[in-house]
Amino acid sequence: MSNIPVLTIDGPSGSGKGTIAQLIAKKLGWHYLDSGAIYRVLAQAAIKHNIDLSDEAKLSEIAQRLDLVFSLDNDALTVLLEGEDVSTLIRSEQAGNAASKVASLPLVRAALLERQRDFRQQPGLVTDGRDMGTVVFQDAEYKVFLTASAEVRAERRYKQLKEKGIESNLSALIEEISERDERDSQRAVAPLRPADDALQLDSTAMGIETVFERVSALCADV
Ligand code: DC
């Protein structure tokens, strides 16, 4: 058991957990781990090296020696794979789906466990993902499970894409999000679910400011 405090924020894609996690990390002056980005980079590495997204043995092997660098400057997370900036590439819906596929493989998850735990550094860590509070940082002091309806999450995603000048189809996004939720919550290892001791927040009808206030209040003793 470590004495370095951790705040875990788990939830489905599009729930706003990444935004909240970064805001709180900044407020507390803690480190930040975007665990989903690790799975996204691994899927990218697999595509780059022509490895099938269901080849568990090969994927766990590359997971163990994944050449991955994160850096957070001016609120922007830069992600390097083998020295190449893949920050934008890994954010597409296809990359998210590919990440969800490789993340369902038990050996892949096992290979990435210690790498994630290494982010636990003083003065503290804020992390977001699917199994942060249930598996990776089970002993975390502060845990949040953030959700929202699939429709609202797809709408948020639609707006984000539009702001970036990318046209998308809302009903296709709802379908993709629901499919990803299903895979992430039905898998045998570390499925998406709230930890028993997590504060559960439904942001369907809640603005980002309110979610931020509720999570800040949880960590008020820091
Ligand atoms: O949070 P995200 O959308 O960037 O995550 C991409 C995929 O990675 C997600 O669909 C499932 C997987 N993932 C996971 O299995 N465990 C985590 N802790 C984080 C992400």
Side-chain angles (χ1 to χ4, degrees):
M1 188 124 167
S2 165
N3 61 357
I4 301 172
V6 178
L7 161 65
T8 62
I9 307 183
D10 287 306
S13 51
S15 58
K17 59 189 185 335
T19 307
I20 293 293
Q22 285 189 49
L23 286 171
I24 297 278
K26 195 171 178 185
K27 178 184 164 173
L28 299 176
W30 286 8
H31 300 279
Y32 167 59
L33 165 64
D34 173 357
S35 64
I38 301 182
Y39 291 98
R40 285 172 184 262
V41 170
L42 177 64
Q44 202 51 52
I47 293 164
K48 186 173 169 185
H49 298 294
N50 287 316
I51 295 167
D52 194 283
L53 296 180
S54 60
D55 189 338
E56 187 166 10
K58 274 212 183 102
L59 286 168
S60 65
E61 196 188 305
I62 61 165
Q64 273 163 29
R65 49 183 171 79
L66 193 63
D67 177 2
L68 161 69
V69 177
F70 283 134
S71 62
L72 191 61
D73 307 299
N74 297 326
D75 299 340
L77 184 69
T78 300
V79 185
L80 301 180
L81 165 63
E82 296 160 9
E84 182 195 346
D85 188 342
V86 291
S87 317
T88 308
L89 196 61
I90 60 164
R91 295 299 163 194
S92 71
E93 290 306 296
Q94 291 93 314
N97 282 324
S100 166
K101 284 182 189 151
V102 300
S104 70
L105 305 169
L107 289 179
V108 165
R109 303 198 73 85
L112 294 174
L113 209 51
E114 284 314 312
R115 187 185 277 260
Q116 295 173 81
R117 289 185 174 145
D118 287 345
F119 281 81
R120 192 173 195 164
Q121 302 282 344
Q122 291 289 6
L125 175 69
V126 181
T127 175
D128 76 76
R130 303 292 184 291
D131 63 339
M132 298 294 98
T134 51
V135 177
V136 184
F137 302 104
Q138 216 177 357
D139 64 339
E141 216 162 329
Y142 312 99
K143 297 183 187 180
V144 173
F145 190 81
L146 186 60
T147 188
S149 72
E151 286 75 16
V152 164
R153 289 186 281 125
E155 274 167 26
R156 289 177 188 158
R157 184 73 187 136
Y158 180 80
K159 275 190 203 145
Q160 277 175 355
L161 289 171
K162 201 165 184 172
E163 277 163 20
K164 287 186 198 157
I166 304 168
E167 282 304 321
S168 59
N169 177 309
L170 186 58
S171 50
L173 279 177
I174 296 177
E175 214 167 286
E176 273 173 22
I177 279 196
S178 305
E179 197 184 300
R180 185 129 72 95
D181 288 353
E182 174 80 12
R183 190 185 305 111
D184 294 345
S185 33
Q186 297 304 319
R187 66 183 178 221
V189 177
L192 168 67
R193 68 167 182 85
D196 294 337
D197 49 351
L199 166 71
Q200 294 197 40
L201 294 175
D202 184 338
S203 76
T204 305
M206 218 187 255
I208 192 96
E209 298 80 11
T210 314
V211 177
F212 180 74
E213 278 164 22
R214 299 281 298 274
V215 180
S216 294
L218 177 75
C219 312
D221 61 340
V222 171

